Amino acid sequence: MKKIINSPQDVVPEMVDGLVRSYPEYLKQIPETEAVVRSDQASMKGKVGLVSGGGSGHEPTHAGFVGKGMLSAAVCGQVFTSPTPDQIYAAIKAVNQGKGVFLVIKNYSGDVMNFEMARDMAEMDGIAVKEIIVDDDIAVENSLYTQGKRGVAGTVLMHKLLGAAADQGASLDELETLAKKALPHISTIAVALSAATVPEVGKPGFELADDEIEYGVGIHSEPGYRREKIKPSKELVAELLSKIDEVQHLDATHQYALLINGMGATPLMEQYIFSHDVLNKLAEKNITPVFTKVGNYMTSIDMAGISLTIFELAEQKWLEYLNYPVATVAW
Amino acid sequence: MKKIINSPQDVVPEMVDGLVRSYPEYLKQIPETEAVVRSDQASMKGKVGLVSGGGSGHEPTHAGFVGKGMLSAAVCGQVFTSPTPDQIYAAIKAVNQGKGVFLVIKNYSGDVMNFEMARDMAEMDGIAVKEIIVDDDIAVENSLYTQGKRGVAGTVLMHKLLGAAADQGASLDELETLAKKALPHISTIAVALSAATVPEVGKPGFELADDEIEYGVGIHSEPGYRREKIKPSKELVAELLSKIDEVQHLDATHQYALLINGMGATPLMEQYIFSHDVLNKLAEKNITPVFTKVGNYMTSIDMAGISLTIFELAEQKWLEYLNYPVATVAW
Amino acid sequence: MLTVELTKKWMELFYAQIDQEKAYLSELDTPIGDGDHGNNMKRGVDGVKDSLAKLKDPTLKETLRTIAMALISKVGGASGPLYGTAFLEMAKKCDESQEPAILFAAALEGIKKRGGAKEGDKTMVDVWAPTVKALTDGSFGTEQIKQAVASTKEMIARKGRASYLGERSVGHLDPGAMSSGYLFETFIAAGGVK
Amino acid sequence: MLTVELTKKWMELFYAQIDQEKAYLSELDTPIGDGDHGNNMKRGVDGVKDSLAKLKDPTLKETLRTIAMALISKVGGASGPLYGTAFLEMAKKCDESQEPAILFAAALEGIKKRGGAKEGDKTMVDVWAPTVKALTDGSFGTEQIKQAVASTKEMIARKGRASYLGERSVGHLDPGAMSSGYLFETFIAAGGVK
Ligand SMILES: Nc1ncnc2c1ncn2[C@@H]1O[C@H](COP(=O)(O)OP(=O)(O)O)[C@@H](O)[C@H]1O
Ligand SMILES: Nc1ncnc2c1ncn2[C@@H]1O[C@H](COP(=O)(O)OP(=O)(O)O)[C@@H](O)[C@H]1O
Ligand SMILES: [Mg+2]
Ligand SMILES: [Mg+2]
Ligand SMILES: [Mg+2]
Ligand SMILES: [Mg+2]
């Protein structure tokens, strides 16, 4: 493991400190926590608070999306480990303006349990709390009898949507309705060229040969659904898009937003080529996305790979939310 | 070499196409070139045009900085290869509004020669052209008898400064004065953990052992000044900052901007930790930068490593330029 | 009977065991999880150690509650809320009874409620449930615990990160089952059951 | 005497040579440059081939100018403007004289002016300069060219990317010197000098 760090145990506190001190115009740290809130307190006045978070290692998610028009606070757990309820609770309290607090949780046992414990604590204090559990990763089959799907890059679009709505004065119930409506329209799937190395573990989560890729991996090196020899970008795109098509039934009469997400070690050069191939493949179906983002948004430390998110904009307002101006480090 | 591409020869055209089609709100491609101009033509009206470019492989530089308040156009050469004069000339013509065109060139033989040939062509057409040759990399000693220093991440700050001034109506001469004044105050130095792999070459520009780093490398895998065992982040910072201090004589009575730049494969996690250590080290000198950016701005394809840029803000106006709002893909 | 003395001794042994097996627990968490279970538990037992050291003449309830809060606020991930809830439920129950079988049964209920896992889902529940049963029917012991841990190997995971693997989770021990095994083994070693 | 016929033949051989040595040129460009010289030159000669094929009964001036424009608009990097300038200067001069010694001397002046390199700076100039001299004093030939190329090995680079290496550039042949060597060798092979 070759990394620019000091010691593996200090990764999260030093990273959060570095981020907040680099961007004091957007962020401040809640004392004695690794939770981060907007420094522009005025922008939160009279609005529902929007809190997200999870394990670290997905930078710029989540803290990079804290700021006017997007998240009110983000809680940074240990690397790939859900933050603890006391820290989440501290974030809820810090953003509560009497209008309630909405939580964006990725669908992992740990995140769900810790956030819900924090919600219990907040509700005991009389703070109204609602939540959405994001599960946009279609690589894993959904089932009532399991944990279900994972929450991955589509979470960032959820942040954007809810952040814009909250900034325009949406109530706690309205945010819940919006989140529940939008969620089934967001589908993500990834391909990995290499796995992430958690600093405290010191070696990659899995090994891929020099010419191998794996479809359907998660953002914590959770294994995917198939391993193969590396293929040209356009064939990777064909595979991933066909999986999304099975779920979304892509259709030129609908409007779509597109998020192409680098996993950490994959350069923009490759992401733009991948984007070229996605846009070509969609064009075969006469689809031109009305909104596109390409870059490192929901990373997996130093994993090489890419994820593709398609968001069907079933309501015109959702496009406005995506285009709504924000003041954050990373959107 | 494991990369998400189709074929090595198609990297640049496919990448430029992917970028432009992903962000039509900012960019459009000049037909039959790999040059990119603002789609917001109105924003250029009556202003001096600002054109930059160079070899590809530094994404989001240069095209990611095209947009209102920053570059008017960017020319994308082959990977690590200066673009040709005809393409640069096409960009100059596309942005000329009768007020002249200012070129931002990185100090490489190829870039300087190709841009100057384009300038000659434009001047023959009666277009007034001036230029700055950026050479912010202090790892290489300057000398009248050699090529001199290289242009690296500090170039992005130059784009920002000149873009803001141009947008506010600065004349061609004023831009030249500004560029010449600011340039000596911008110093950059890098450390590499691994070299970049040019797609057409297929293997890294140099090899570093699993526990080795190299100080002072360039953005095209040009070798640096010393190879060593990997050190904790704070010691890397101490080394790089001491080199900058030798040139800039950092001093608490001055104001500084800070740019921490990932080389492509180094995750934000590491960049924020590095930033934490830079801010601590500067704090020892009672310096708190008034402006900081951390992220992948001037990359070297998939190199792992980081560069540190310190920009002494000798004039208050420069800070305003850095904070001036822009509409680009990547700033 | 669970006493303050016994609980402290137990936690000391559990601390030592986790400290020693940290890398192994993370290793178990690698093929079917995210490789952090050892680190998570280590942060937890470090927190437990620190918090207990600060208590002056605590009651059993205070002791269990302190352990719970340390686990909840230090571990994170999936195992933090689960182990934390387990000790919280024991703290709630201990005024009524100090019988291990009754306390662990309350803890198990808490774990199930918090995480929604049933027996056979390849989680720590597959160690807790048979162990609680064994405490009642008298078969409790190191052998029984080891067997419960081992039983997770052939299961298909339905909860936690391992569940994303479906059938491919078969053939691997569940890391949380293993750390729960350590918890019960150290309980015996501390003299929890004669 | 440089003629259209000779120039075409020369370019064909140069094309074949670059095509064959592309990987080697990039390899030379790796330790002291950025590893692209072979690819750059290949794009250039491909362009030259295409452009020449489109010419109908061209004059020598048109031929040389076409080569120059193809190199300028296809190669990029440092070598593009330099080789392009060389042929542009030859095109300018060829009305006056078709003597290789005179044409190459004009090309060399163009290269020096464009790139600012002097002899001994470890660039293509270190092949062009002695070769132009050799053409005048009659020592021109394959052996002389190879020697000029080889002479760059022990030089310290002062221009181009290799100059960033300073003393560490010693011990490596200059890639642009090598491709210039090919240019002159194929000129001989095409019958450029008897
Ligand atoms: N819903 C659940 N119910 C019971 N136990 C669970 C559940 N989810 C996960 N676990 C247990 O937690 C263990 C993983 O813990 P840990 O690695 O610390 O957390 P994370 O999965 O968040 O990284 C699993 O091995 C399993 O025993
Ligand atoms: N200023 C210069 N004057 C003359 N020749 C130069 C100069 N700079 C570079 N060269 C030549 O160009 C060659 C490198 O060409 P190439 O690799 O194609 O371009 P780049 O250096 O831009 O990648 C060098 O080997 C050297 O011979
Ligand atoms: Mg975890
Ligand atoms: Mg080059
Ligand atoms: Mg885990
Ligand atoms: Mg080169």
Side-chain angles (χ1 to χ4, degrees):
Chain A
M1 178 181 66
K2 191 155 60 162
K3 284 182 188 286
I4 302 175
I5 60 171
N6 291 300
S7 116
Q9 308 91 271
D10 297 333
V11 158
V12 176
E14 290 186 357
M15 172 176 77
V16 174
D17 175 86
L19 171 63
V20 171
R21 283 163 70 197
S22 296
Y23 294 101
E25 64 274 38
Y26 299 125
L27 304 175
K28 74 180 190 208
Q29 198 167 351
I30 303 178
E32 281 162 68
T33 71
E34 259 104 55
V36 155
V37 287
R38 286 190 206 171
S39 45
D40 178 3
Q41 294 279 318
S43 71
M44 308 203 290
K45 274 267 143 51
K47 312 228 162 108
V48 174
L50 191 62
V51 173
S52 188
S56 290
H58 308 304
E59 296 67 35
T61 294
H62 305 80
F65 301 119
V66 169
K68 179 168 165 53
M70 224 165 151
L71 299 178
S72 314
V75 196
C76 310
Q78 288 296 314
V79 179
F80 286 3
T81 303
S82 166
T84 56
D86 51 320
Q87 302 231 344
I88 302 166
Y89 176 50
I92 293 174
K93 276 198 300 190
V95 306
N96 176 42
Q97 305 276 325
K99 304 281 173 177
V101 175
F102 195 82
L103 307 179
V104 183
I105 309 170
K106 296 197 295 317
N107 189 31
Y108 299 96
S109 311
D111 287 299
V112 173
M113 291 188 275
N114 286 290
F115 273 82
E116 293 192 343
M117 286 176 88
R119 191 188 62 184
D120 292 350
M121 292 160 88
E123 283 174 348
M124 284 200 296
D125 275 5
I127 303 175
V129 179
K130 296 206 164 218
E131 66 185 33
I132 184 77
I133 297 179
V134 181
D135 62 347
D136 57 312
D137 188 346
I138 60 158
V140 175
E141 241 171 273
N142 208 353
S143 156
L144 264 184
Y145 308 103
T146 68
Q147 185 63 38
K149 297 183 292 163
R150 300 172 297 222
V152 291
T155 311
V156 177
L157 299 178
M158 187 59 86
H159 293 160
K160 185 67 182 73
L161 228 54
L162 296 172
D167 200 57
Q168 291 174 282
S171 70
L172 194 55
D173 286 334
E174 286 166 347
L175 290 182
E176 189 185 34
T177 306
L178 170 61
K180 283 193 171 157
K181 256 198 184 159
L183 184 59
H185 296 289
I186 306 178
S187 305
T188 301
I189 189 160
V191 60
L193 279 65
S194 75
T197 296
V198 175
E200 289 204 270
V201 175
K203 54 178 198 256
F206 54 83
E207 291 285 351
L208 283 172
D210 272 355
D211 59 352
E212 263 182 353
I213 55 152
E214 186 160 326
Y215 296 114
V217 291
I219 55 173
H220 311 95
S221 301
E222 295 96 342
Y225 63 83
R226 197 165 80 237
R227 218 169 251 217
E228 272 185 6
K229 298 266 172 226
I230 176 95
K231 294 227 160 67
S233 167
K234 48 167 87 66
E235 292 179 38
L236 302 180
V237 164
E239 167 72 22
L240 299 183
L241 208 52
S242 77
K243 290 278 173 190
I244 290 182
D245 202 14
E246 281 173 26
V247 178
Q248 291 226 1
H249 311 292
L250 302 170
D251 172 336
T253 65
H254 296 147
Q255 285 203 320
Y256 296 96
L258 177 61
L259 174 65
I260 288 165
N261 174 60
M263 303 303 281
T266 287
L268 281 175
M269 173 186 279
E270 297 174 40
Q271 295 180 41
Y272 291 142
I273 290 172
F274 185 89
S275 173
H276 158 90
D277 291 321
V278 172
L279 292 168
N280 278 352
K281 197 82 200 163
L282 289 173
E284 288 176 14
K285 293 182 191 284
N286 294 312
I287 295 170
T288 308
V290 292
F291 179 94
T292 301
K293 275 239 172 209
V294 187
N296 295 352
Y297 293 98
M298 176 72 78
T299 61
S300 180
I301 315 180
D302 52 358
M303 177 187 272
I306 224 163
S307 75
L308 171 63
T309 302
I310 303 260
F311 177 18
E312 190 209 320
L313 300 170
E315 301 192 10
Q316 187 57 31
K317 221 173 164 63
W318 299 355
L319 178 58
E320 287 161 32
Y321 288 150
L322 288 178
N323 285 316
Y324 189 78
V326 298
T328 66
V329 172
W331 176 254
Chain B
M1 178 181 66
K2 192 154 57 163
K3 284 183 189 284
I4 302 175
I5 60 171
N6 292 300
S7 116
Q9 309 90 271
D10 296 334
V11 158
V12 176
E14 291 186 356
M15 171 175 78
V16 173
D17 175 84
L19 171 63
V20 172
R21 283 164 68 198
S22 297
Y23 294 101
E25 65 273 39
Y26 299 125
L27 304 176
K28 74 180 191 210
Q29 198 166 351
I30 302 178
E32 281 162 69
T33 71
E34 260 104 55
V36 154
V37 287
R38 288 189 204 171
S39 45
D40 178 4
Q41 293 279 321
S43 71
M44 308 203 289
K45 275 266 144 50
K47 312 233 162 106
V48 175
L50 191 61
V51 174
S52 189
S56 290
H58 309 302
E59 295 67 35
T61 293
H62 306 81
F65 301 118
V66 170
K68 178 166 165 54
M70 225 163 151
L71 298 178
S72 315
V75 195
C76 309
Q78 288 297 313
V79 179
F80 287 2
T81 303
S82 168
T84 55
D86 50 318
Q87 302 231 343
I88 303 166
Y89 175 51
I92 293 173
K93 276 199 299 192
V95 307
N96 177 41
Q97 305 278 326
K99 304 282 172 176
V101 175
F102 195 81
L103 306 178
V104 183
I105 309 169
K106 296 197 295 319
N107 189 30
Y108 299 96
S109 313
D111 287 298
V112 172
M113 290 189 277
N114 285 290
F115 273 82
E116 293 192 343
M117 285 175 89
R119 190 188 62 185
D120 292 350
M121 293 159 89
E123 283 173 349
M124 284 198 298
D125 274 4
I127 303 175
V129 178
K130 296 207 164 217
E131 67 185 35
I132 184 77
I133 297 178
V134 181
D135 62 347
D136 57 312
D137 188 346
I138 60 158
V140 176
E141 240 171 272
N142 207 352
S143 155
L144 265 183
Y145 306 103
T146 69
Q147 186 63 36
K149 298 181 291 162
R150 300 174 296 225
V152 289
T155 311
V156 177
L157 299 179
M158 186 60 86
H159 293 159
K160 185 69 182 71
L161 225 56
L162 296 172
D167 201 58
Q168 291 174 284
S171 69
L172 193 57
D173 286 336
E174 285 165 347
L175 289 182
E176 188 185 36
T177 306
L178 169 62
K180 283 193 172 159
K181 255 197 185 159
L183 183 59
H185 295 288
I186 304 177
S187 306
T188 300
I189 188 159
V191 61
L193 278 65
S194 74
T197 296
V198 174
E200 289 205 271
V201 175
K203 52 177 200 255
F206 55 83
E207 291 285 351
L208 283 172
D210 272 355
D211 59 352
E212 263 183 351
I213 54 153
E214 185 159 328
Y215 296 114
V217 291
I219 55 173
H220 310 94
S221 301
E222 295 96 342
Y225 63 83
R226 198 165 79 237
R227 218 169 251 217
E228 269 186 7
K229 297 268 172 225
I230 175 93
K231 294 228 160 67
S233 168
K234 48 167 88 66
E235 291 179 38
L236 302 180
V237 165
E239 167 72 23
L240 299 184
L241 207 51
S242 77
K243 291 278 174 191
I244 290 183
D245 201 15
E246 281 172 26
V247 177
Q248 291 226 3
H249 310 293
L250 302 170
D251 172 336
T253 65
H254 295 146
Q255 286 203 319
Y256 296 96
L258 177 61
L259 173 66
I260 288 165
N261 173 61
M263 303 303 282
T266 287
L268 281 175
M269 173 186 278
E270 297 174 41
Q271 296 181 41
Y272 291 143
I273 290 172
F274 185 89
S275 172
H276 157 91
D277 291 321
V278 171
L279 292 169
N280 278 353
K281 198 83 199 163
L282 288 172
E284 288 175 15
K285 293 182 191 285
N286 294 312
I287 295 171
T288 308
V290 292
F291 179 94
T292 301
K293 275 238 173 211
V294 187
N296 295 352
Y297 294 97
M298 176 73 78
T299 61
S300 178
I301 316 180
D302 53 358
M303 177 187 272
I306 224 164
S307 75
L308 171 63
T309 303
I310 303 261
F311 176 19
E312 190 209 319
L313 300 170
E315 298 192 10
Q316 188 58 32
K317 224 178 163 59
W318 298 355
L319 178 58
E320 287 161 31
Y321 288 149
L322 289 179
N323 284 317
Y324 189 78
V326 298
T328 65
V329 172
W331 174 254
Chain C
M1 287 305 119
L2 193 63
T3 61
V4 172
E5 216 41 47
L6 172 59
T7 308
K8 281 187 171 167
K9 177 91 197 136
W10 176 25
M11 286 300 112
E12 269 165 38
L13 294 175
F14 186 51
Y15 177 90
Q17 182 76 357
I18 292 293
D19 197 47
Q20 184 183 310
E21 301 298 346
K22 177 180 138 173
Y24 176 58
L25 288 174
S26 286
E27 210 177 279
L28 288 179
D29 197 29
T30 299
I32 59 168
D34 58 352
D36 61 0
H37 188 56
N39 293 317
N40 291 350
M41 292 306 293
K42 178 66 165 83
R43 269 198 319 278
V45 293
D46 280 347
V48 167
K49 199 180 177 186
D50 289 353
S51 306
L52 286 183
K54 282 185 203 132
L55 289 187
K56 283 222 154 119
D57 294 324
T59 62
L60 180 60
K61 195 185 191 95
E62 280 164 2
T63 307
L64 291 167
R65 210 191 129 79
T66 300
I67 294 168
M69 295 320 290
L71 292 169
I72 290 171
S73 67
K74 293 295 171 193
V75 179
S79 49
L82 293 168
Y83 278 114
T85 300
F87 279 89
L88 211 54
E89 292 302 323
M90 294 203 275
K92 282 191 202 160
K93 199 77 181 180
C94 74
D95 285 343
E96 203 178 291
S97 163
Q98 295 89 51
E99 201 57 65
I102 290 175
L103 292 173
F104 288 150
L108 169 61
E109 280 322 297
I111 291 174
K112 281 179 157 176
K113 212 169 147 199
R114 176 64 61 205
K118 303 180 312 301
E119 270 182 86
D121 285 353
K122 196 180 182 107
T123 70
M124 58 174 71
V125 168
D126 294 304
V127 170
W128 281 79
T131 300
V132 164
K133 204 155 148 264
L135 273 161
T136 338
D137 70 17
S139 64
F140 179 66
T142 310
E143 206 36 59
Q144 167 267 316
I145 296 165
K146 286 204 189 310
Q147 209 176 304
V149 173
S151 76
T152 63
K153 188 160 182 174
E154 295 313 315
M155 293 176 184
I156 298 180
R158 299 201 198 285
K159 287 286 163 186
R161 291 179 194 283
S163 71
Y164 304 127
L165 279 171
E167 309 220 325
R168 282 179 297 164
S169 62
V170 171
H172 299 281
L173 289 171
D174 177 64
M178 182 58 82
S179 60
S180 294
Y182 294 155
L183 186 73
F184 291 119
E185 281 172 22
T186 53
F187 180 68
I188 294 175
V193 198
K194 298 111 254 255
Chain D
M1 286 306 121
L2 194 62
T3 62
V4 172
E5 218 40 52
L6 171 59
T7 307
K8 282 189 172 168
K9 176 95 197 127
W10 174 26
M11 285 300 111
E12 269 165 37
L13 294 174
F14 187 50
Y15 176 89
Q17 180 78 356
I18 292 293
D19 197 46
Q20 182 182 311
E21 302 297 346
K22 178 181 137 172
Y24 176 57
L25 288 174
S26 286
E27 208 176 283
L28 288 180
D29 197 30
T30 299
I32 60 168
D34 58 353
D36 62 359
H37 189 57
N39 293 316
N40 292 348
M41 292 306 293
K42 179 67 166 81
R43 269 199 317 278
V45 292
D46 280 347
V48 168
K49 199 178 178 188
D50 289 352
S51 307
L52 286 183
K54 282 183 204 134
L55 288 186
K56 285 222 154 119
D57 294 324
T59 62
L60 179 60
K61 195 185 190 95
E62 280 164 1
T63 307
L64 291 169
R65 210 190 126 80
T66 299
I67 296 169
M69 293 322 287
L71 291 169
I72 289 171
S73 67
K74 294 293 173 195
V75 180
S79 48
L82 292 168
Y83 277 115
T85 300
F87 279 88
L88 210 54
E89 292 302 323
M90 293 202 278
K92 284 191 201 160
K93 200 76 181 179
C94 74
D95 285 343
E96 201 178 291
S97 162
Q98 295 89 48
E99 199 58 65
I102 289 175
L103 292 173
F104 288 151
L108 169 61
E109 280 322 298
I111 291 174
K112 280 179 157 175
K113 211 168 147 200
R114 177 63 62 203
K118 303 181 310 303
E119 271 183 83
D121 285 352
K122 194 179 184 109
T123 69
M124 57 174 71
V125 168
D126 294 305
V127 171
W128 282 80
T131 299
V132 165
K133 206 155 145 262
L135 274 161
T136 340
D137 70 16
S139 62
F140 179 67
T142 311
E143 207 37 58
Q144 168 265 317
I145 295 165
K146 287 207 188 308
Q147 209 178 304
V149 173
S151 77
T152 63
K153 188 161 181 175
E154 296 313 315
M155 293 177 183
I156 298 180
R158 299 200 197 285
K159 286 286 165 189
R161 290 178 195 283
S163 71
Y164 305 126
L165 279 171
E167 309 220 323
R168 281 178 297 166
S169 63
V170 171
H172 300 280
L173 289 170
D174 176 64
M178 182 58 80
S179 60
S180 293
Y182 295 155
L183 185 73
F184 291 118
E185 282 173 21
T186 52
F187 179 70
I188 293 175
V193 197
K194 301 111 254 252

